[in-house]
Amino acid sequence: MAAPVGLLYDERMCAHATPNGESHPENPDRLRSIWRKLQQEGITDRCVVMEAKEAEDKYIASVHSQTHINLIKTISSAELDSRRHKIACKFNSIYFNKGSSESAYLAAGSAIEVTEKVAKGELSCAIALVRPPGHHAEHNEAMGFCLFNNVAIAANYLLNEKPELGIRKILIVDWDVHHGNGTQKTFYDDSRVLFFSVHRFDSGSFYPSGGDGAYCMIGEGPGQGYNINVPWEHGRCGDADYLAVWDHVLIPVAESFNPDIILVSAGFDAAAGDPLGGCSITPRGYAFLLEKLKRFAQGKLVLLLEGGYNLSSIANSVLACAHVLLGDEGYSRKLNTKPFESTWRVIQLVRDELKYYWPVLSGKIP
Ligand code: 6DK
Ligand code: ZN
């Protein structure tokens, strides 16, 4: 019998919230709305439900500086919210309250926990509903609602701490609408981790603005060719655009790379209705994209929640992904909309940039 599907949810990760109750898109209701939906639809009964465990500092240290770890560790005991607020202002798009440290440690620990269980085969695949999100967090910096880089910590854990599990090559697929700058930096010169990100770029003006998400950022040293960015020049991209990127960039590269496990930085802010993303992926679209990843690495797939700010869009999108992981039929139907002309241009630029490293990308798009 196939190993079960894991689902991690822990109310303690709802403790991270704005200090004075100001509204913020990255709030605890995000997790709760997803969880409620999965309960209503009977998904929670069909999965192995897991609780979070705090990550140990030594594993977080594979990505973050000791200074950064100390800051996150002590931020919740900083005397007053006003003091935390002042510290948060030094960062870019960050808030802290008294629950922030514990939530950050639980999110990173959850990523490690589910990833290890999937790598071992105790779970066939898994979804970890974590927050705060992680993919913007850099070596020495919290930013973009992210405190610790959960996905990078989990990937390093497998590679550095668990060689006996035989995970030598990890594909990270970041479909959050924002570029995963922190993850990119962590593995920029590392050929064991292929980082693939598709995100809004808008000539470098879309968060996290700057040039890091450009298609010419392909990695360096031994990591050259192992960093792939697909930067949208505008919003409105949807199922057909993402599908074209999968068919003409990600899937051919994944076939050549042949990963031992796939970690998805699964933000749902490119979903239709998201207030920050401006894109239009449907739940069925997400299901279709995920289905295409299932045939790699013997189905060893881990979804780690990143962004996504429309409560019903994220709940319905995670639900569709859960159906795919559970092997339910009929959730990933091809949609017959067409990609934008600009999508083909971006895809061709990415293919030309990377064809030297991935010959399968040579030539014009069929
Ligand atoms: N700030 C993320 O989704 C985080 O990638 C995105 C961070 C965007 C910061 C800029 C921004 C707002 C917008 C509206 C209201 C308050 C702040 F890391 C992830 F969570 F995944 O749009
Ligand atoms: Zn995002």
Side-chain angles (χ1 to χ4, degrees), residues 92-284:
N92 168 351
S93 301
I94 283 296
Y95 63 79
F96 299 112
N97 73 341
K98 54 186 184 317
S100 299
S101 302
E102 192 191 21
S103 297
Y105 272 86
L106 289 169
S110 303
I112 291 175
E113 178 91 350
V114 295
T115 304
E116 181 173 16
K117 285 207 161 34
V118 171
K120 280 183 174 159
E122 288 173 20
L123 299 171
S124 57
C125 49
I127 303 179
L129 301 174
V130 299
R131 64 180 291 278
H135 70 154
H136 297 305
E138 297 197 350
H139 181 64
N140 200 27
E141 193 162 3
M143 60 181 276
F145 317 161
C146 300
L147 305 186
F148 289 143
N149 194 318
N150 309 315
V151 74
I153 291 167
N156 266 339
Y157 175 80
L158 287 186
L159 294 171
N160 303 338
E161 307 289 336
K162 295 285 155 178
E164 67 275 17
L165 297 180
I167 305 290
R168 316 235 182 283
K169 291 181 287 175
I170 300 181
L171 170 61
I172 299 181
V173 175
D174 188 330
W175 71 36
D176 187 280
V177 79
H178 301 96
H179 177 238
N181 56 289
T183 314
Q184 166 169 306
K185 276 206 181 136
T186 307
F187 301 112
Y188 207 56
D189 62 356
D190 195 334
S191 62
R192 300 171 303 169
V193 177
L194 172 53
F195 178 61
F196 169 91
S197 178
V198 51
H199 45 269
R200 268 186 81 175
F201 189 63
D202 301 31
S203 310
S205 65
F206 200 74
Y207 192 87
S209 23
D212 281 2
Y215 67 83
C216 56
M217 300 293 282
I218 60 164
E220 69 186 12
Q224 256 184 46
Y226 293 86
N227 193 85
I228 303 182
N229 284 326
V230 179
W232 299 134
E233 275 307 333
H234 53 74
R236 307 191 305 284
C237 292
D239 296 342
D241 305 282
Y242 281 79
L243 187 55
V245 170
W246 255 232
D247 285 345
H248 300 290
V249 182
L250 177 59
I251 299 300
V253 170
E255 276 166 4
S256 305
F257 180 62
N258 191 23
D260 299 315
I261 192 167
I262 301 182
L263 310 184
V264 183
S265 254
F268 293 94
D269 45 9
D274 189 274
L276 269 59
C279 288
S280 62
I281 305 183
T282 66
R284 277 182 188 279

Side-chain angles (χ1 to χ4, degrees), residues 238-241 335-339:
D239 296 342
D241 305 282
L335 299 117
N336 46 10
T337 50
K338 272 173 62 176

